[in-house]
Amino acid sequence: MREHESSYQTTLPLTFFAGTYNVNGKTPNSSHDLVPWLETELSTGVGDPDIVAVGLQEVVDLNAGNVVVDSFMTGDNGVGKEKVDEWREKTTAALDIIACTRDHKYVHLCTSHMVGVVLSVYCKKEWESKISDVQPVCVPTGKMGLANKGAAMIRMDVADTSMCILSAHFAAHRSKVRKRNRDFHTISTRNVFRDDDTKDFADLTMKEQKREKEAASQRRGLSRGTSALPGALPGALPGVGEESKDAHRRRLSVVNQEIEGGAASQKQKRGSDWWENADNVLFGNPSLPGKAVSSASVPPPPPPDAGVVRGVRPSKDKDALMSISAREISKSLREDEEDDEEDVEDEGQDESQYVSELGKMCALDHDIVVWMGDLNYRIDVSMDIKEVYELLNVISSDRSSVSHEANVDEAVDLLINKDQLVIERAAGRVFKGFDEGRLLFMPTYKYIPTNQPNPGDRETDWYDDRPDKKMRCPAWCDRVLWRVQDGCCETVKLLQYRRTDGIYISDHKPVNALLECQIKQIDREKREEILQSIVKQSHEKVEELHVACKVTGAWEFETDGHDEDEISVVTLENLSKTAPAKWSLENGKAGVPCWMRVLTSFEGELGPGEKIEMRARIEPDIDGEYHIDDSNENAIDDIHPGAIIKVNVHNGNTVYVACMNKWLDRRQKERAAAATTQARESSTAKKSGGGFRDSMKHKMGWKKS
């Protein structure tokens, strides 16, 4: 079918906008502030993008409280829902502002979010009918499966091209390059999407595996779903005892409210004691410091079908969190955010169970992958921060002379060559097969966030190099990359890759990329017509190559074989008019009865329409042991007079030749009749009283003297 793709498959042009922004837990004052970022500002006449994907990171503060509570929340009850809704409203309003003078409107397709990572996808109204199978999911990559880092993902089919879009937030700090690489591989290879093509087969397989696991569990004497903690009820959360899961979730909701309502300041005042109390709140003690909480007075959580669609995360993350304490979680988060100088290997997450899962697929299984986010790759540690700032000063200075412009280009190359993502991609350790535009903009991190910017002022427009703060090396943390599956007809061309100035709420600058894609659209009726034609031609070809042979006659013999003139003949004919027939007698000589000799070959080849006479005769001398005649009567009863010989036609049908030794058959019947007569006479003699001896004497004419 691939040879005929051009006959039933066409391409559609698709303009795709990908924008990423680490918002540092802030929201813009107005939707107008987002317009410069979401506008393409192109003079090429490509028009507004058909699909807009907006990726956000750190929509909420990534403190331990937010991460812990979110790990237990499901559906729309997760941390940051209000912030996500606010960002979605302002993004939608900004797109409306952009499109207000055009003859189109953007509609919201889907939003996936996990703690602070958000991905929202919009499309033009006329493209909505071409998009199907939209699936939002999330993959956490923090320590112990926590969601302080990871990716929000959405897959969809656009026409007949599968696309996967990701908004990711990788591990921070210059030294943790390998951790960032592991984040990429964990996210890209985890099978979190439903694959409808193999779903039915996968369901049957999973049911069988489930039955096997249950049987094994029963054999071990374990009940299904029992907690690992002693004394816990089946399916219970650790420390909850006999209390219901709903009451426990309500208590988590209260913790969330306390955290967002000022728990951070309480933590500063009380130090580590706050988290010790939070440990009790989350895992069994229903009270916050200085405030008793009754499970009966806690309002139930919102219904799961309200608000933004939230990406589904693997359930194993929650199960893992249930077995640890809040203090351990807080410690892990602190370790995850520490800027140590050694990128040590950690246990990570077990990826083996996500490999080759039936009925599921991963991000890399799609035709087109667009990966954006705060990937946190920095300038390599081999370049000192002071040297980085010196190069940035050269780049940002006036390019009034040609010689100075050469210095600027040299400074840009020096920085780009030290970019960790550029280094890791060149070494093939990460983002293999992905493309990225050249970094023609200044590094996007780290700035001084402010809600009252003063454009032109150094503190507003320059990097955070304040001497009283810990200096962070500027870097291209925020990136957009894409990948086209090998062998696909789709293409992606970069039209624009830039950062946007004029937005100051974060220590990052937003980045966007505009991609011109060619996606496939299949004419299913035409494809079915071509498929049927190919099947028909295939059947005709098989029929041409398939041989049908026919056997006429049988090998039959009337004498005992001493008359060498008695030859029996059968005819083997190749009925095919196009293909030769290769034939052979099964088992060769060993397959022929011992009383018969085949005078022609045991194998051969017949051309199209040809026939051959296969000749045979009686073999009176069987291996020189005895003759089939009256000289050795006992041998006759041990040999079968009939046989069927199989003729294998190796590229066609199978035929059979019947063999019959009529002389041997008659002799066996005569001997059987004589034996029957003798037995009858013996029986009669016994009944008359003379016995066998008298009977024999009578036969021989003996008389008493």
Side-chain angles (χ1 to χ4, degrees), residues 323-341:
S323 62
I324 58 178
S325 68
R327 282 191 297 272
E328 292 172 323
I329 294 172
S330 180
K331 178 182 177 182
S332 296
L333 288 174
R334 288 196 301 271
E335 292 175 352
D336 209 16
E337 296 303 322
E338 286 177 355
D339 188 9
D340 53 14
E341 293 302 324

Side-chain angles (χ1 to χ4, degrees), residues 28 82 86 159 265 283 621 690:
E82 293 182 0
E86 183 179 356
S265 61
F283 298 98
D621 187 355

